[in-house]
Amino acid sequence: MDKVKILIIEDEEAIADLLAYGLNKEGFLTTISHTGADGLRAIEHFQPDMLLLDWMLPDVSGLDICKKVTETRNIPIIMLTAKSDITDKIVGLEFGADDYITKPFDLREVIARIRTILRRMTHPHKPAEEPANEPIRFKNIEITESERLVRKNNEIVDLTPKEFELLMTLYRHRGKIFTRTELLDFVWGYEYVGDTRTVDIHIQRLRKKLEAGDVIVTVFGVGYKFDKQVD
């Protein structure tokens, strides 16, 4: 079996070397980049299965790299940062990160988080669905799922990857009431440990972008649902 390849983009050599040493001992194949530019080149040549990405790099923000990668590739990303505020954590998730680890960290925790994400990718908790060939239409919204395109009044709506996945999760299960924890599990693909306000923020942004407050409904004291009566 081929080894899982992990690209470490981290400018602090001691941290990068520690991660590479520990991950190599666990059977992963790693390579290190110390700048964002080198990291982007390494993505092309190394073709990693996962990124460990530092938030603060000398030449570019890790968030910018995260956004660029998630726009074109389906690579899970774990952000590494000294920032511990919940707002920073939510920002990282909104930019497409799959997880977020605050420095200083225990190497065993990093390995456990990596294995959790890989396990979810290999054995997803819900059956995969083929993208619909026919556009989905409701109100003034049209979704071309196979192209991950959303239009409102024939104008493209710019959704983040997580916003799109959240929208499709709610739409596919029209009428079902999801708790915030369930949505985190469905959309982020692992058992998220932290503040569920990230779901509220994504819901608010979806409603605003789609003008769909009457479609994506709050169920007081429980969570959210997509109104199955919508046309």
Side-chain angles (χ1 to χ4, degrees):
M1 181 180 294
D2 293 337
K3 290 185 177 182
V4 173
K5 297 190 291 184
I6 300 178
L7 171 60
I8 301 165
I9 307 179
E10 165 64 64
D11 65 319
E12 295 186 50
E13 291 189 17
I15 293 177
D17 290 344
L18 172 65
L19 287 167
Y21 174 77
L23 294 176
N24 289 339
K25 284 190 64 177
E26 291 292 319
F28 298 106
L29 181 63
T30 64
T31 192
I32 296 172
S33 296
H34 293 301
T35 68
D38 286 345
L40 290 172
R41 284 191 289 269
I43 289 171
E44 296 296 326
H45 296 101
F46 186 57
Q47 294 292 312
D49 301 300
M50 180 177 288
L51 299 185
L52 295 184
L53 175 60
D54 186 25
W55 183 306
M56 303 292 289
L57 294 166
D59 57 338
V60 65
S61 168
L63 289 178
D64 291 335
I65 293 178
C66 184
K67 183 178 181 181
K68 184 171 184 177
V69 170
T70 55
E71 285 175 348
T72 57
R73 298 172 181 267
N74 187 25
I75 304 174
I77 299 172
I78 298 179
M79 298 291 295
L80 304 173
T81 177
K83 296 174 177 287
S84 59
D85 187 87
I86 186 63
T87 302
D88 294 318
K89 187 170 187 176
I90 290 171
V91 168
L93 294 172
E94 288 175 348
F95 270 67
D98 293 87
D99 207 344
Y100 181 111
I101 297 177
T102 304
K103 301 175 184 178
F105 50 76
D106 188 316
L107 185 57
R108 292 170 297 181
E109 178 188 5
V110 177
I111 292 169
R113 299 282 189 96
I114 289 172
R115 293 199 184 282
T116 296
I117 293 174
L118 292 174
R119 187 164 56 248
R120 290 283 184 164
M121 292 172 62
T122 306
H123 304 289
H125 67 289
K126 61 181 186 298
E129 299 185 38
E130 290 295 325
N133 292 323
E134 293 296 322
I136 296 166
R137 295 184 177 90
F138 58 90
K139 296 185 65 177
N140 58 343
I141 304 298
E142 179 180 292
I143 304 171
T144 307
E145 189 177 0
S146 59
E147 299 178 28
R148 299 177 70 89
L149 283 179
V150 178
R151 293 181 174 86
K152 180 179 69 176
N153 296 324
N154 293 320
E155 296 289 331
I156 292 177
V157 180
D158 184 21
L159 298 185
T160 67
K162 290 296 184 289
E163 287 169 351
F164 182 85
E165 291 163 21
L166 179 59
L167 173 62
M168 294 312 304
T169 296
L170 291 168
Y171 179 82
R172 289 191 187 111
H173 302 86
R174 295 182 293 283
K176 172 179 170 56
I177 301 171
F178 285 94
T179 67
R180 291 166 176 81
T181 301
E182 286 173 334
L183 286 172
L184 283 166
D185 192 30
F186 267 76
V187 175
W188 277 262
Y190 66 99
E191 189 174 348
Y192 176 82
V193 179
D195 198 313
T196 56
R197 285 180 295 175
T198 188
V199 171
D200 298 329
I201 291 173
H202 278 73
I203 291 288
Q204 291 168 15
R205 293 188 175 184
L206 266 180
R207 285 172 171 166
K208 182 176 180 180
K209 289 180 178 181
L210 301 180
E211 297 180 348
D214 58 335
V215 176
I216 302 172
V217 181
T218 300
V219 180
F220 183 73
V222 183
Y224 300 98
K225 71 174 183 178
F226 192 103
D227 186 0
K228 64 180 178 181
Q229 302 299 325
V230 70
D231 294 323

